């Protein structure tokens, strides 16, 4: 599995038209940030400075937070009027609060919302503006080698395959000097090895470095794309084949427990709750496959859960859940287990998005299945074709079936090839068996299946040199 995409996000806070709790002067506001990532207790992350006599404070202290795409990171911003020197806030006047997720903030970059009281009622007045910026290192590319900082010094090495590279020498320069280089007028530097110069009296240099071309390339991060306007489009495909068992039977994988859930719904909630923050309209298409559907009860491998082919969208993750529950008693579970129709369906929309020539849309397909895939050759070809598109596929296997074929599609053990031998240009499939997470915290499934998505997004858009609709400025 790829390493988690971890980065730092800096949040700047400002408020307007706050409640005035002081007599003879204005409120002295402070903002406290609380976080909750596991559904447990809120804990304090940090506080801003107190600003005296201001109902429209712009706090200079910024909040620094580790950002994880694969987690729902709940944040709560509380505004207090501070009139004493105690750390405890319970003896200070509460002016209002605002609760959201970090995903909602970074996907909008700047949000302005009214403050509410702790009982959820409007505070009456006052709003908060939160602006997010990714914290980055300064990076430059020199001789196709990435360096953290140029620091005016470039070192040249003699490469050795075992890693014991030998220093040839170094030279001092600046980026402005390197940018003067051209093929007709190269910029040249003497490469000096200080140890050799000290040992040899007649030492001149260890060679001349001639720079004929210098290009500054802005390498976008995942947050550059998200903050730049890229939308993540989420689609769900659900297995309604007969091997799931009669939904009315407690032994069925589609059986709804007394509290109204099953493994299918748990997977939808887990993954969907993360991704929904990155889609503005929160309208998600949801499909089923492998069932006989009304009114003719012909087998379909690509039917909308709401039975509306012209508008298969569900309103939010709850809308997908509601459509699934309503659909279940109306269809007859059948077979076989074919993935390729739904993959090709989403791929058509991903292909259309490439016409925009910007990194504006990326598609994530979640397939939840219980059994051995039937159309393996067609699915392999569909995935290979989809690997050329802004698209990732997540497969969650429910139940206790043999999922060897799914592991094969994952591509972690080698490049996936189509039935004709064409290789996938990217690894876009992530498979996990649900049973691996049955006794884990509810966030664990999403953390696992979504961990690779940020890098897949970056790899696709960088490969095709696509910039976000609102491109980041070169640093």
């Amino acid at each position: 599995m790829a390493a988690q995409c971890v980065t730092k996000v800096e949040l700047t806070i400002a408020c307007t038209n706050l409640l005035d709790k002081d007599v003879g002067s204005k409120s002295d506001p402070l903002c406290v940030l609380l976080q909750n990532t596991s559904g447990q207790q809120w804990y304090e992350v940090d506080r801003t400075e107190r600003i005296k006599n201001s109902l429209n404070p712009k706090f200079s202290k910024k909040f620094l937070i580790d950002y994880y795409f694969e987690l729902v990171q709940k944040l709560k911003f509380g505004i207090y009027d501070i009139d004493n020197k105690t750390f405890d806030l319970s003896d200070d006047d509460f002016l209002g609060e605002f609760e959201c997720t970090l995903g909602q903030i970074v996907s909008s970059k700047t949000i302005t919302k009214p403050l509410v009281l702790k009982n959820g009622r409007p505070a009456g007045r006052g709003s908060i503006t939160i602006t997010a910026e990714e914290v980055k290192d300064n990076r430059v590319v020199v001789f196709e080698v990435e360096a953290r900082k140029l620091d005016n010094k470039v070192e040249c090495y003699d490469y050795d395959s075992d890693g014991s590279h030998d220093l040839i020498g170094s030279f001092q320069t600046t980026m402005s000097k390197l940018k003067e280089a051209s093929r007709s007028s190269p910029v040249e530097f003497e490469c000096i090895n200080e140890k050799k110069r000290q040992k040899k009296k007649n030492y001149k240099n260890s060679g001349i470095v001639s720079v004929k071309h210098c290009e500054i390339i802005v390498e976008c991060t995942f947050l550059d794309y998200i903050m730049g306007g890229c939308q993540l489009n989420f689609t769900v495909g659900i297995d309604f084949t007969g091997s799931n068992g009669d939904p009315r039977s407690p032994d069925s994988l589609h059986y709804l427990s007394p509290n109204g859930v099953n493994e299918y719904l748990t997977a939808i909630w887990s993954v969907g709750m993360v991704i929904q923050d990155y889609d503005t309209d929160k309208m998600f298409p949801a499909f089923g496959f492998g069932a006989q559907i009304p009114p003719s009860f012909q087998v379909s491998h690509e039917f909308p859960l709401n039975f509306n082919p012209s508008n298969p969208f569900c309103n939010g993750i709850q809308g997908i859940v509601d459509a699934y529950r309503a659909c279940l008693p109306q269809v007859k579970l059948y077979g076989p287990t074919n993935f390729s129709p739904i993959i090709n369906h989403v791929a058509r929309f991903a292909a259309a998005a490439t016409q925009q020539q910007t990194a504006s849309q990326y598609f994530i397909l979640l397939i939840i299945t219980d059994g051995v895939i039937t159309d393996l050759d067609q699915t392999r070809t569909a995935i290979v074709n989809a690997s050329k598109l802004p698209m990732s596929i997540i497969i969650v296997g429910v139940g206790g079936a043999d999922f060897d074929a799914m592991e094969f599609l994952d591509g972690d053990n080698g490049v996936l090839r189509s039935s004709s031998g064409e290789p996938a240009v990217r690894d876009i499939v992530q498979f996990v068996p649900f049973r691996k997470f049955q006794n884990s915290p509810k966030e664990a499934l999403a953390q696992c299946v979504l961990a690779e998505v940020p890098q897949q997004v970056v790899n696709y858009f960088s490969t095709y040199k696509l910039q976000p609709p609102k491109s980041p400025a070169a640093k």
Side-chain angles (χ1 to χ4, degrees):
M1 181 188 297
Q4 289 180 320
C5 178
V6 183
T7 191
K8 296 278 188 184
V9 171
E10 191 176 68
L11 303 180
T12 303
I13 312 299
C15 297
T16 56
N17 197 30
L18 292 176
L19 289 169
D20 192 355
K21 291 285 188 175
D22 288 349
V23 178
S25 65
K26 297 178 180 178
S27 294
D28 305 324
L30 167 152
C31 179
V32 59
L33 172 61
L34 305 177
Q35 186 170 4
N36 183 330
T37 54
S38 59
Q40 303 299 318
Q41 294 291 323
W42 291 93
Y43 63 91
E44 183 173 329
V45 176
D46 204 354
R47 302 179 182 191
T48 65
E49 78 281 10
R50 179 184 69 157
I51 297 181
K52 292 184 179 181
N53 299 320
S54 176
L55 302 183
N56 301 287
K58 295 181 179 180
F59 299 102
S60 60
K61 182 175 179 180
K62 304 175 189 300
F63 295 130
L64 196 62
I65 302 180
D66 286 338
Y67 165 78
Y68 299 86
F69 166 74
E70 61 271 24
L71 284 177
V72 177
Q73 295 174 267
K74 295 180 181 178
L75 304 179
K76 185 186 293 184
F77 301 85
I79 309 298
Y80 292 83
D81 175 20
I82 308 298
D83 289 320
N84 56 56
K85 295 183 179 181
T86 65
F87 188 80
D88 186 3
L89 294 172
S90 62
D91 57 357
D92 295 298
D93 291 322
F94 177 67
L95 303 180
E97 66 183 11
F98 172 65
E99 187 175 330
C100 64
T101 68
L102 185 55
Q104 288 172 325
I105 297 173
V106 299
S107 61
S108 301
K109 194 168 184 180
T110 298
I111 59 175
T112 299
K113 296 290 182 180
L115 295 171
V116 298
L117 300 177
K118 290 186 177 179
N119 57 13
R121 292 189 295 110
R125 57 184 286 185
S127 63
I128 185 170
T129 297
I130 307 164
T131 303
E133 291 289 344
E134 182 181 5
V135 179
K136 297 183 180 180
D137 292 327
N138 293 323
R139 294 186 173 188
V140 297
V141 177
V142 181
F143 308 132
E144 299 184 356
V145 177
E146 186 176 291
R148 289 276 173 177
K149 293 183 179 179
L150 182 58
D151 285 339
N152 296 327
K153 184 178 181 180
V154 178
E155 293 182 336
C156 302
Y157 288 85
D158 179 17
Y159 175 83
D160 288 320
S161 59
D162 63 0
S164 59
H165 312 312
D166 301 314
L167 177 67
I168 298 173
S170 64
F171 61 89
Q172 302 286 121
T173 187
T174 62
M175 181 55 67
S176 58
K177 184 67 175 176
L178 289 172
K179 288 168 67 176
E180 295 173 3
S182 67
R183 297 191 182 280
S184 60
S185 180
V187 177
E188 296 186 336
F189 305 92
E190 283 191 295
C191 195
I192 304 298
N193 187 311
E194 290 297 335
K195 289 184 178 180
K196 290 184 178 180
R197 181 158 69 175
Q198 292 173 10
K199 290 180 180 179
K200 298 180 181 180
K201 291 183 179 181
N202 59 347
Y203 176 83
K204 187 176 181 181
N205 59 54
S206 295
I208 302 296
V209 175
S210 180
V211 180
K212 298 181 179 179
H213 178 71
C214 175
E215 180 180 0
I216 299 175
I217 299 174
V218 177
E219 293 187 343
C220 292
T221 65
F222 176 69
L223 280 182
D224 282 331
Y225 292 114
I226 295 301
M227 292 180 175
C230 180
Q231 295 283 300
L232 300 185
N233 299 286
F234 181 49
T235 303
V236 175
I238 299 176
D239 184 335
F240 284 95
T241 56
S243 53
N244 281 278
D246 187 340
R248 295 168 294 183
S249 168
D251 295 331
S252 171
L253 291 167
H254 280 297
Y255 176 75
L256 296 175
S257 66
N259 59 356
V261 299
N262 57 29
E263 292 186 3
Y264 281 94
L265 288 178
T266 301
I268 292 170
W269 273 115
S270 179
V271 178
M273 288 300 286
V274 173
I275 295 179
Q276 69 173 351
D277 285 343
Y278 302 88
D279 187 303
T280 302
D281 63 13
K282 307 288 188 289
M283 298 297 291
F284 307 115
F287 298 91
F289 59 91
Q292 295 175 319
I293 62 172
S296 63
F297 288 95
Q298 294 292 310
V299 176
S300 174
H301 300 291
E302 185 192 339
F303 64 91
L305 294 188
N306 62 7
F307 300 110
N308 185 351
S310 62
N311 184 17
F313 295 90
C314 301
N315 188 3
I317 304 305
Q318 184 62 52
I320 299 176
V321 171
D322 293 342
Y324 166 78
R325 287 173 174 160
C327 166
L328 199 52
Q330 300 185 61
V331 300
K332 295 179 180 179
L333 276 60
Y334 204 71
T337 306
N338 291 349
F339 284 7
S340 61
I342 284 182
I343 294 174
N344 289 330
H345 175 96
V346 177
R348 286 193 291 273
F349 286 91
T354 62
Q355 303 301 312
Q356 298 175 14
Q357 298 297 310
T358 63
S360 57
Q361 295 189 70
Y362 194 90
F363 294 78
I364 298 174
L365 170 61
L366 170 64
I367 298 176
I368 314 172
T369 183
D370 84 306
V372 178
I373 188 169
T374 306
D375 64 336
L376 184 58
D377 285 347
Q378 293 92 329
T379 295
R380 285 164 55 193
T381 298
I383 292 172
V384 168
N385 291 334
S387 71
K388 308 166 191 172
L389 301 170
M391 179 173 168
S392 291
I393 301 170
I394 297 165
I395 304 173
V396 176
V398 296
D402 179 1
F403 292 118
D404 285 349
M406 307 303 174
E407 300 282 4
F408 169 72
L409 295 176
D410 194 308
D412 284 348
N413 297 321
V415 177
L416 178 70
R417 294 181 179 273
S418 70
S419 55
S420 64
E422 181 185 358
V425 296
R426 298 185 300 128
D427 177 12
I428 64 168
V429 178
Q430 175 74 355
F431 167 77
V432 296
F434 185 89
R435 57 178 176 255
K436 179 180 176 183
F437 301 93
Q438 282 180 319
N439 300 316
S440 302
K442 62 180 182 180
E443 301 85 8
L445 175 64
Q447 282 183 265
C448 180
V449 299
L450 294 175
E452 295 184 6
V453 169
Q455 195 56 48
Q456 289 172 348
V457 171
V458 171
N459 285 347
Y460 175 80
F461 290 132
S462 61
T463 297
Y464 291 94
K465 295 180 172 56
L466 297 176
Q467 294 290 309
K470 294 172 281 188
S471 295
K475 300 292 184 181

